Amino acid sequence: MSKKEAIQPLTAYFQRENIRNVVILTDENVNRLYPDYFSGLQEFCQLDHYVLPAGESSKSIETAVKIWDYLAEKQYDRNVFLLNFGGGMVCDLGGFVASTYKRGIRFANHPTTLLAMIDAAVGGKTGINLQYLKNGVGTFYFPDIQLPVDISLLKTLPDEELRSGFGELVKYALIGSEELFQKLCQLDSIEHLEPDFLTFCVDFKQNVVKKDPKDTGLRHILNFGHTIGHAIESYGAEKGTPIAHGLAVAQGLYYESLLSTKLGLLPQNEWQQIAAFLPKHFQIMTLTEEILSKLVVFMQNDKKNSDNLINFTLLDHLGHATPNFQIPISEIQTYLLMTRPSTLDPKP
Amino acid sequence: MSKKEAIQPLTAYFQRENIRNVVILTDENVNRLYPDYFSGLQEFCQLDHYVLPAGESSKSIETAVKIWDYLAEKQYDRNVFLLNFGGGMVCDLGGFVASTYKRGIRFANHPTTLLAMIDAAVGGKTGINLQYLKNGVGTFYFPDIQLPVDISLLKTLPDEELRSGFGELVKYALIGSEELFQKLCQLDSIEHLEPDFLTFCVDFKQNVVKKDPKDTGLRHILNFGHTIGHAIESYGAEKGTPIAHGLAVAQGLYYESLLSTKLGLLPQNEWQQIAAFLPKHFQIMTLTEEILSKLVVFMQNDKKNSDNLINFTLLDHLGHATPNFQIPISEIQTYLLMTRPSTLDPKP
């Protein structure tokens, strides 16, 4: 996939929809690496750029206000098109700005990270962080055109970010395709991802989202690994040692697969495959009593949970998940306490 | 309509939907006048109050952030229900907060001003003001339950605000019902509004919105009077002598009716009825060259306009409007310059 192939569907769309003003929202890193990526669009429309400081701290209401003000000062009307060119931060924030500027303008995502390609850029969830609440504010708002992924952009992605995206990719395999899982098990290096792997994830997510756009039931299967994963992410942030989203999710996949087996859903031999595979690519922390009790507090604060039950998506077998199990906190503590990647005994 | 009648559909709804936490969003004035209005709900749910400073300046992103943070600090999940109890500011802002907190929570409007009862509280437009752009940020997001209007709340409404709402009410008559227009002509005082008048407006707006929820065509008929009205409002604000929305709209109704006749649409005898009626209730400013040129600049900045054409909804006859006329600025200037309520000659 070259940038020409990414631009072609856009130019056709702009001409069909008579779009003349396009604002490219990107961050400093992407802008430095790919300053002319979309220059071919200039023949077809007026291009404007808004470049954000890189990093999650830009995913804030303060940044959204700056972009809204910029669009208003430039007197862009409802026909302006926002093109988000970056990772999850740019896609989430840009989608939120698009969904709210003058009550909604058209937009598309062209993701530059593996994580964004298979997750943030697909599915219509937009969001910004409140001071103490990740994605505390956002909307459901869908891109007007889904662009083909440009896997060549991953060449410049730092290893940790590629690995983080790989965590999310493993999730799709676990919940959606045993075949993909087996292929990932045979992968010699995460740098050798095949475009098909990504296409599977995008298509799988789009199918799920089509059936449950507002995340009221089925879509929760996409949260596999995320209940514990988010808690680990929050725990890392609180400790001052932030953990990349996909690396936290990978640990969540590990412990939620274990939970699936302990609860009698996932066959033990399949759990053993997962337990052998994940630690090859990801560091899995041991859950001491202290850590586990902190994770439980974060899980209770999660927007999907209420009272003393925690909502989990669990695996019934490799390649298939079921959402919305309500697991009592006491069981989570019993099953996950002090499990160690090296001394695993999944029997209850 | 007593408060009991307003509360009954809510309690039934809360029980059906298993809603346990309700936050009432209101302003200081309404809270002072009606502190116990919803106290009957306490039997059915946990009631919380968030009281805003009164006035348009609260319709800001800063206020939205404070409410988001408040909801997050109180750890309200997606099942919290927001009940907007106030005028247009409260309904617009509250609707926006509801549409974005955790990607959308359920809400209802219970309007306390005439303007909000027949306009802001109906139709799913939410919004806050950017520094230089009224409703620059917002969403389309519909209340989950439409509550019956409580006209008794208007007893405590200041005269100017009642008159402002009356301006909007006249709009509905002009675009939707000659019969209502004739009734309004016979009204001895705007304090003697009949509940039926309001019901007509709410039903009319709901019907239009149902056909065009995202304001792409037909819904523009609701903008009758607003192209010039908004410009007059902006002009007043810039001069430091703010004009209430409905009072600016009333002047817009006047000049856009005149324009309808000048352009050969509205029969002259009908224009004369309108021209006789409006100045009885509203002050209509004379459009000098200086004023008109400023209004034109504001109209050009309006989100609905592009290039040198201004989008107008015009009357074809009393009780019927057609949206989306593109009128060149030069014609607007020719037709409206120096017309005076006292020396009207609508002939081109």
Side-chain angles (χ1 to χ4, degrees):
Chain A
M1 171 68 58
S2 76
K3 66 182 172 181
K4 263 195 190 140
E5 280 164 298
I7 285 172
Q8 232 153 25
L10 265 182
T11 56
Y13 174 81
F14 290 164
Q15 288 181 296
R16 196 170 69 239
E17 297 286 326
N18 198 22
I19 286 167
R20 283 174 294 179
N21 288 294
V22 175
V23 178
I24 296 173
L25 184 72
T26 189
D27 72 24
E28 284 166 346
N29 291 342
V30 174
N31 192 49
R32 195 183 59 246
L33 290 164
Y34 304 100
D36 301 318
Y37 191 89
F38 286 112
S39 58
L41 287 176
Q42 262 162 337
E43 280 178 58
F44 305 92
C45 57
Q46 196 77 32
L47 275 193
D48 192 357
H49 288 78
Y50 193 100
V51 182
L52 300 161
E56 185 76 4
S57 62
S58 281
K59 204 176 128 175
S60 68
I61 190 68
E62 290 75 21
T63 315
V65 170
K66 281 183 195 158
I67 306 172
W68 285 326
D69 280 338
Y70 178 81
L71 297 173
E73 269 163 37
K74 291 284 220 92
Q75 300 195 2
Y76 285 119
D77 66 13
R78 288 170 171 180
N79 291 315
V80 68
F81 187 94
L82 193 67
L83 181 51
N84 300 325
F85 183 42
M89 179 276 283
V90 168
C91 295
D92 287 356
L93 169 72
F96 179 67
V97 167
S99 71
T100 50
Y101 181 64
K102 296 195 175 186
R103 298 201 185 94
I105 57 174
R106 285 170 290 187
F107 84 109
N109 293 318
H110 194 60
T112 57
T113 67
L114 177 55
L115 197 55
M117 285 174 187
I118 62 178
D119 192 13
V122 190
K125 280 193 182 179
T126 82
I128 51 174
N129 302 328
L130 290 178
Q131 200 177 352
Y132 300 109
L133 191 63
K134 212 171 132 70
N135 293 318
V137 166
T139 51
F140 289 97
Y141 196 73
F142 290 82
D144 293 85
I145 172 171
Q146 192 75 34
L147 302 176
V149 158
D150 179 359
I151 200 171
S152 76
L153 290 166
L154 299 184
K155 280 183 211 145
T156 54
L157 197 65
D159 175 73
E160 191 187 76
E161 285 198 53
L162 188 66
R163 196 166 301 275
S164 173
F166 187 67
E168 200 73 40
L169 202 153
V170 173
K171 178 199 77 177
Y172 285 99
L174 293 176
I175 66 173
S177 167
E178 184 177 356
E179 191 191 331
L180 177 56
F181 179 76
Q182 301 304 347
K183 282 183 188 166
L184 296 182
C185 286
Q186 284 149 31
L187 207 62
D188 55 346
S189 156
I190 63 167
E191 280 165 31
H192 299 149
L193 299 176
E194 290 172 29
D196 282 0
F197 299 174
L198 279 64
T199 310
F200 173 81
C201 302
V202 171
D203 291 350
F204 185 87
K205 182 163 182 181
Q206 281 187 317
N207 277 329
V208 170
V209 170
K210 201 184 286 174
K211 288 179 196 153
D212 177 22
K214 293 221 166 170
D215 200 7
T216 58
L218 175 67
R219 188 166 171 166
H220 294 178
I221 70 162
L222 299 171
N223 292 334
F224 181 62
H226 283 64
T227 305
I228 294 175
H230 276 155
I232 289 176
E233 217 177 336
S234 301
Y235 170 76
E238 196 191 56
K239 266 210 322 181
T241 52
I243 303 170
H245 176 71
L247 303 185
V249 166
Q251 299 187 61
L253 296 176
Y254 182 92
Y255 283 111
E256 295 183 20
S257 298
L258 174 58
L259 201 59
S260 303
T261 295
K262 295 267 192 182
L263 289 163
L265 286 158
L266 181 69
Q268 190 152 332
N269 65 320
E270 299 194 346
W271 153 248
Q272 274 157 352
Q273 286 184 63
I274 297 168
F277 169 70
L278 281 168
K280 273 199 226 166
H281 295 283
F282 304 100
Q283 230 183 340
I284 315 286
M285 68 161 88
T286 301
L287 303 186
T288 62
E289 198 165 340
E290 192 199 337
I291 293 175
L292 191 54
S293 68
K294 284 192 176 172
L295 296 188
V296 163
V297 172
F298 285 117
M299 287 188 248
Q300 285 179 292
N301 288 348
D302 191 285
K303 58 185 171 297
K304 291 164 204 92
N305 297 315
S306 45
D307 303 325
N308 281 318
L309 298 169
I310 306 289
N311 187 303
F312 279 94
T313 292
L314 295 173
L315 291 189
D316 3 72
H317 56 78
L318 259 175
H320 192 272
T322 299
N324 299 321
F325 286 89
Q326 305 294 326
I327 312 293
I329 286 170
S330 58
E331 289 191 25
I332 300 165
Q333 284 168 325
T334 307
Y335 290 142
L336 301 188
L337 188 62
M338 291 303 284
T339 48
R340 276 199 196 85
S342 49
T343 59
L344 288 164
D345 177 12
K347 286 179 209 115
Chain B
M1 171 68 58
S2 76
K3 64 182 171 179
K4 264 199 190 136
E5 280 163 299
I7 285 173
Q8 231 153 25
L10 265 182
T11 56
Y13 174 81
F14 291 163
Q15 289 181 295
R16 197 170 67 239
E17 298 286 325
N18 198 22
I19 286 168
R20 284 174 292 178
N21 288 294
V22 175
V23 178
I24 296 173
L25 184 73
T26 189
D27 72 23
E28 284 165 347
N29 292 341
V30 173
N31 192 50
R32 197 182 56 247
L33 290 163
Y34 303 100
D36 301 318
Y37 191 89
F38 286 112
S39 57
L41 287 177
Q42 262 161 335
E43 279 178 60
F44 304 93
C45 57
Q46 195 77 31
L47 275 192
D48 192 358
H49 288 77
Y50 193 100
V51 182
L52 300 160
E56 185 76 3
S57 63
S58 281
K59 204 177 128 175
S60 68
I61 189 68
E62 289 76 19
T63 315
V65 170
K66 280 182 196 159
I67 306 171
W68 286 325
D69 280 338
Y70 178 81
L71 297 173
E73 271 163 37
K74 291 284 218 97
Q75 300 196 1
Y76 285 121
D77 67 12
R78 288 170 169 177
N79 290 315
V80 68
F81 188 94
L82 193 68
L83 180 52
N84 301 324
F85 183 42
M89 179 277 282
V90 169
C91 295
D92 287 357
L93 169 71
F96 179 67
V97 168
S99 72
T100 50
Y101 180 64
K102 297 197 176 187
R103 299 201 184 96
I105 57 174
R106 286 169 290 188
F107 83 109
N109 294 317
H110 194 59
T112 57
T113 67
L114 178 55
L115 197 53
M117 285 172 186
I118 62 177
D119 193 12
V122 189
K125 281 192 182 180
T126 82
I128 51 173
N129 302 327
L130 289 179
Q131 200 176 353
Y132 299 109
L133 189 64
K134 213 173 130 70
N135 293 318
V137 166
T139 50
F140 288 98
Y141 196 72
F142 290 82
D144 293 86
I145 172 172
Q146 192 74 34
L147 302 177
V149 158
D150 179 358
I151 200 170
S152 76
L153 290 166
L154 300 183
K155 281 184 209 145
T156 53
L157 197 65
D159 177 73
E160 192 188 76
E161 284 198 55
L162 188 66
R163 197 165 300 276
S164 173
F166 188 67
E168 200 73 38
L169 202 154
V170 173
K171 178 199 77 177
Y172 284 99
L174 292 176
I175 66 172
S177 168
E178 183 176 358
E179 191 190 331
L180 177 57
F181 179 75
Q182 301 304 348
K183 282 183 187 166
L184 296 182
C185 287
Q186 283 150 33
L187 207 63
D188 55 346
S189 155
I190 62 167
E191 281 165 29
H192 299 148
L193 298 178
E194 291 172 27
D196 282 359
F197 299 174
L198 279 65
T199 310
F200 173 81
C201 301
V202 171
D203 291 349
F204 186 87
K205 182 162 182 182
Q206 282 189 315
N207 277 328
V208 170
V209 169
K210 203 184 286 174
K211 289 179 194 151
D212 177 23
K214 291 222 165 170
D215 201 8
T216 59
L218 174 67
R219 187 166 171 166
H220 294 177
I221 70 163
L222 299 172
N223 291 334
F224 180 63
H226 283 62
T227 305
I228 294 175
H230 275 156
I232 289 175
E233 216 177 338
S234 301
Y235 170 76
E238 196 191 55
K239 266 210 321 180
T241 51
I243 303 170
H245 175 71
L247 303 185
V249 165
Q251 300 187 61
L253 297 175
Y254 182 92
Y255 283 112
E256 295 183 20
S257 297
L258 174 58
L259 200 59
S260 303
T261 295
K262 294 269 191 180
L263 289 162
L265 285 157
L266 181 69
Q268 189 150 336
N269 65 320
E270 299 193 346
W271 153 248
Q272 275 157 352
Q273 287 184 63
I274 297 168
F277 169 70
L278 282 168
K280 273 198 226 167
H281 295 283
F282 303 101
Q283 228 181 342
I284 314 286
M285 67 161 89
T286 302
L287 303 187
T288 63
E289 199 164 341
E290 192 198 337
I291 293 175
L292 192 52
S293 67
K294 285 192 174 171
L295 296 188
V296 163
V297 172
F298 285 117
M299 287 189 246
Q300 284 179 292
N301 289 347
D302 192 285
K303 57 186 172 296
K304 292 166 204 91
N305 298 313
S306 45
D307 303 327
N308 282 316
L309 299 169
I310 306 290
N311 187 303
F312 279 95
T313 292
L314 295 174
L315 291 187
D316 4 69
H317 56 79
L318 258 176
H320 193 271
T322 299
N324 299 322
F325 286 89
Q326 305 295 326
I327 312 293
I329 286 170
S330 57
E331 288 191 26
I332 300 165
Q333 284 168 325
T334 308
Y335 289 142
L336 301 188
L337 189 62
M338 292 302 284
T339 49
R340 276 199 198 82
S342 50
T343 61
L344 288 165
D345 177 11
K347 284 179 211 115

